Amino acid sequence: MIDLKRLREDPDRFKAGARDKNIDVDIEHVLRLDERRRQLMTEQEVRRAEQKKISKVVGPQIGRLKGLLKTAEGAARDALETEIRDLESRPVTLKNEIQAFEHEITQITPELDALLLEVPQPPDDDVPRGRSADDNVQIRTWHPDGFDPTRPFEANRGFAPKTHLDLIADLGLVDFQRAVGMSGARHYVLVGDGMRLHQAVLRYAFDRMTNEHGFTPMSVPVIVREECMVGTGFFPAGRDQAYHIEESRRGSGHDLFLTGTGEVGLMGLHQDEILDAETLPRRYATVSTCFRREAGAAGKDTAGLYRIHQFDKVEQVVICRADEAESRAWHAKMIGFVEDLLQSLELPYRLLQCCTGDLGPKNADMVDIECWMPGRGDLDAAGRPTGAYGETHSASRLYDFQCRRLKMRYRDEHGNNVFCHSLNNTVIASPRILIPILEIHQQADGTVTIPPALRPHMGGRERIGG
RNA sequence: GGAGAGGUGGCGGAGCGGUUGAACGCGCCGGUCUCGAAAACCGGUAUGGCCUUCGGGUCAUCGAGGGUUCGAAUCCCUCCCUCUCCGCCA
């Protein structure tokens, strides 16, 4: 959520931000509702103060008179009753006025609150303007010795590559048919070494984050309440993407949602808390199953392990002080952790600076990391894919947008409660990451060499197949 | 699933219709005392909104939302949550 005060002070910045993000929200209307609400509240408060003042004087008097009434009789009783009625009637006008204001305020507030949740965080000034992912800007590339993605796979390795779909089929790593039978399109069953590799990658990535980079290992819920989805900024904009468990329709409890990333659980954890500043920055890592409806992606990436409804992901989040420089430094560090990881897996990748149009409502800045996947991209003359980068990671910098929604604060050195900054980044998401691992490390004989870093998690084995 | 108990400030815990944003205790912060510390004593110690001449003023909040009332933490209704026991179960 954005800061309403800042919206009042500089509406043009927020209008431009929404425009740059291609998000349609009526900021003028927000300002009108806010203005009206503040007027009403001021008027109402003047009367409430008056009412309070009166009742502080009158209250004890009435109490005392009513006490006397219990024993009074005859004319004395009538006199007391008259006096009580007189005292009681004094604040009635005020009460009616207060109720009238209250009525109008309760009409405006839900509309204002709902609209406010839709105002996106403006992108940072150094984020390139652009309409869509096509306008993202490459920051840098990396590739291991012996595999240069600017040259065809065959030129690098001396044989024509199989796609991950071929490798999976030939090595018996995934059963799509039965999964689809059980759960529908975009589901899969990992089998044998497929499952082993999946687990190895997750465990390897998780251990690196927690053992080497000081992130606290966490397990968090993947089934959460709506507040958690709203608080972390995934709702209302991303409501279509989440699986919805309608428990309320069954008459028990409240509705729940399946989370699409471990970020929700890690950030939701401290909702409504004032964190001890000494404990910042908080660094958390989790491995969790992620659920995505992929609404609106019909027909896109329908084959294979690329776009699926359920996957597992190691996620890193950082909650730090509200300091832009610190926030930016963490962003760079978190991206560095991923680069180190991908380099240790010997996977070619590139960093993309996302443009404003690709940011999403909550980010001030986002950097995607894409791994080279030989089985993607345009087809050559022989009808074989020429390879392309595919998104495997996404690193977001949110300032206090998320923590403001979550009411996650810390007390600064002046004793003020300040909303924290938050950042999140994929560490590794599998099975999508299995695509480049299988495709890059495939051998001419159809086997796949396991990257040395993963071998300890694969029983010391060096290859799959053969 | 059945039966009960309960949700009050950082924590424990009073209050159950009238100056109660809330006694008391603990914790925490500041001070006195001390060479220093402990103890003792004194003072302070919620969050958010709005207004502000930046001194402060004011309103809201006792799980949430409605209602009754001149007045609600206190009474009524609905919902949510937590705990205990029994049953079932990974």
Side-chain angles (χ1 to χ4, degrees):
Chain A
M1 189 153 60
I2 53 108
D3 184 349
L4 186 53
K5 273 185 203 148
R6 288 176 72 177
L7 181 73
R8 275 179 218 138
E9 286 160 10
D10 190 6
D12 289 343
R13 174 163 167 263
F14 290 89
K15 285 181 200 166
R19 204 183 312 118
D20 287 341
K21 285 188 166 184
N22 304 322
I23 292 170
D24 187 29
V25 54
D26 189 346
I27 286 173
E28 279 302 324
H29 191 46
V30 173
L31 291 169
R32 278 196 301 275
L33 290 175
D34 169 52
E35 176 69 31
R36 179 73 185 135
R37 202 175 89 98
R38 272 154 55 220
Q39 278 175 359
L40 292 166
M41 279 174 64
T42 306
E43 291 293 328
Q44 188 196 35
E45 280 178 16
V46 168
R47 285 158 182 80
R48 259 213 244 268
E50 179 68 17
Q51 183 190 43
K52 235 176 155 170
K53 214 191 295 175
I54 291 174
S55 87
K56 271 184 183 169
V57 176
V58 167
Q61 286 177 4
I62 294 174
R64 187 174 52 80
L65 293 175
K66 282 192 173 169
L68 292 174
L69 197 60
K70 283 176 187 158
T71 52
E73 280 171 21
R77 186 180 182 86
D78 292 343
L80 278 173
E81 282 178 339
T82 307
E83 199 176 344
I84 289 170
R85 261 199 303 281
D86 177 51
L87 286 170
E88 282 181 349
S89 65
R90 281 166 63 182
V92 167
T93 313
L94 282 174
K95 185 197 175 187
N96 290 337
E97 287 175 352
I98 288 165
Q99 276 179 343
F101 285 116
E102 183 66 30
H103 180 70
E104 204 176 338
I105 290 169
T106 50
Q107 285 194 316
I108 287 178
T109 304
E111 189 185 356
L112 178 60
D113 289 349
L115 266 176
L116 213 46
L117 286 177
E118 290 180 31
V119 179
Q121 161 135 280
D124 264 350
D125 290 338
D126 51 357
V127 170
R129 312 291 108 164
R131 295 294 299 169
S132 71
D134 296 337
D135 299 317
N136 293 345
V137 179
Q138 182 170 301
I139 298 171
R140 62 173 169 269
T141 65
W142 179 91
H143 61 82
D145 291 342
F147 195 98
D148 178 0
T150 60
R151 299 161 64 217
F153 184 96
E154 192 160 0
N156 278 291
R157 290 281 153 88
F159 65 95
K162 294 179 179 177
T163 67
H164 83 281
L165 284 170
D166 300 330
L167 291 162
I168 279 166
D170 295 349
L171 297 168
L173 304 179
V174 184
D175 184 339
F176 284 110
Q177 199 183 339
R178 292 193 175 90
V180 170
M182 284 191 290
S183 307
R186 298 197 193 282
H187 284 90
Y188 58 94
V189 169
L190 297 171
V191 182
D193 284 342
M195 181 56 175
R196 288 193 183 97
L197 193 61
H198 172 73
Q199 289 293 321
V201 154
L202 293 171
R203 183 60 196 257
Y204 169 60
F206 191 66
D207 284 354
R208 278 183 73 114
M209 290 312 294
T210 57
N211 295 340
E212 292 172 31
H213 302 311
F215 281 65
T216 307
M218 307 282 264
S219 143
V220 290
V222 296
I223 309 171
V224 301
R225 297 163 173 278
E226 185 166 5
E227 298 92 286
C228 212
M229 298 299 279
V230 173
T232 49
F234 286 91
F235 283 10
R239 216 184 159 85
D240 286 353
Q241 293 303 329
Y243 287 101
H244 181 177
I245 305 170
E246 293 185 286
E247 280 296 293
S248 60
R249 284 180 60 177
R250 304 169 71 178
S252 65
H254 46 83
D255 283 8
L256 292 160
F257 296 85
L258 298 185
T259 59
T261 164
E263 173 195 344
V264 176
L266 290 178
M267 289 303 303
L269 190 67
H270 295 299
Q271 181 154 24
D272 255 315
E273 287 187 40
I274 298 175
L275 300 172
D276 185 346
E278 301 300 308
T279 66
L280 299 177
R282 299 278 181 114
R283 291 163 289 172
Y284 292 140
T286 191
V287 49
S288 72
T289 303
C290 306
F291 303 91
R292 298 190 181 179
R293 288 185 69 229
E294 297 297 345
K300 220 157 95 183
D301 308 308
T302 49
L305 293 174
Y306 192 83
R307 191 178 297 276
I308 50 199
H309 287 307
Q310 174 184 334
F311 59 96
D312 295 287
K313 180 153 68 85
V314 180
E315 179 78 359
Q316 51 175 329
V317 307
V318 169
I319 300 159
C320 69
R321 298 173 144 262
D323 180 88
E324 179 174 345
E326 186 177 345
S327 234
R328 284 179 181 269
W330 271 113
H331 195 224
K333 260 190 242 183
M334 293 165 83
I335 291 166
F337 298 149
V338 172
E339 290 195 69
D340 288 347
L341 181 76
L342 292 175
Q343 290 177 18
S344 76
L345 295 174
E346 300 169 30
L347 299 177
Y349 64 83
R350 69 171 174 179
L351 262 59
L352 282 184
Q353 170 60 59
C354 292
C355 73
T356 55
D358 201 25
L359 281 192
K362 60 196 175 89
N363 301 344
D365 178 21
M366 185 164 81
V367 170
D368 279 356
I369 299 177
E370 301 187 334
C371 286
W372 181 257
M373 303 181 186
R376 282 178 79 77
D378 299 331
L379 304 181
D380 65 13
R384 283 197 295 254
T386 50
Y389 285 104
E391 182 185 329
T392 52
H393 296 71
S394 190
S396 297
R397 199 154 57 76
L398 306 162
Y399 290 126
D400 64 2
F401 186 86
Q402 197 168 39
C403 293
R404 185 179 296 278
R405 289 184 174 224
L406 289 166
K407 300 185 182 66
M408 195 191 301
R409 293 152 294 174
Y410 69 94
R411 200 182 302 276
D412 72 7
E413 54 276 18
H414 309 295
N416 297 317
N417 290 324
V418 183
F419 292 109
C420 308
H421 281 188
S422 69
L423 304 104
N424 63 78
N425 186 1
T426 320
V427 179
I428 211 145
S430 185
R432 186 181 277 189
I433 197 67
L434 302 187
I435 298 170
I437 290 177
L438 292 170
E439 290 181 352
I440 290 287
H441 296 302
Q442 63 180 301
Q443 304 299 311
D445 64 1
T447 64
V448 172
T449 301
I450 299 168
L454 292 180
R455 289 177 193 167
H457 298 283
M458 290 291 285
R461 291 163 55 202
E462 295 180 7
R463 64 184 56 251
I464 293 172

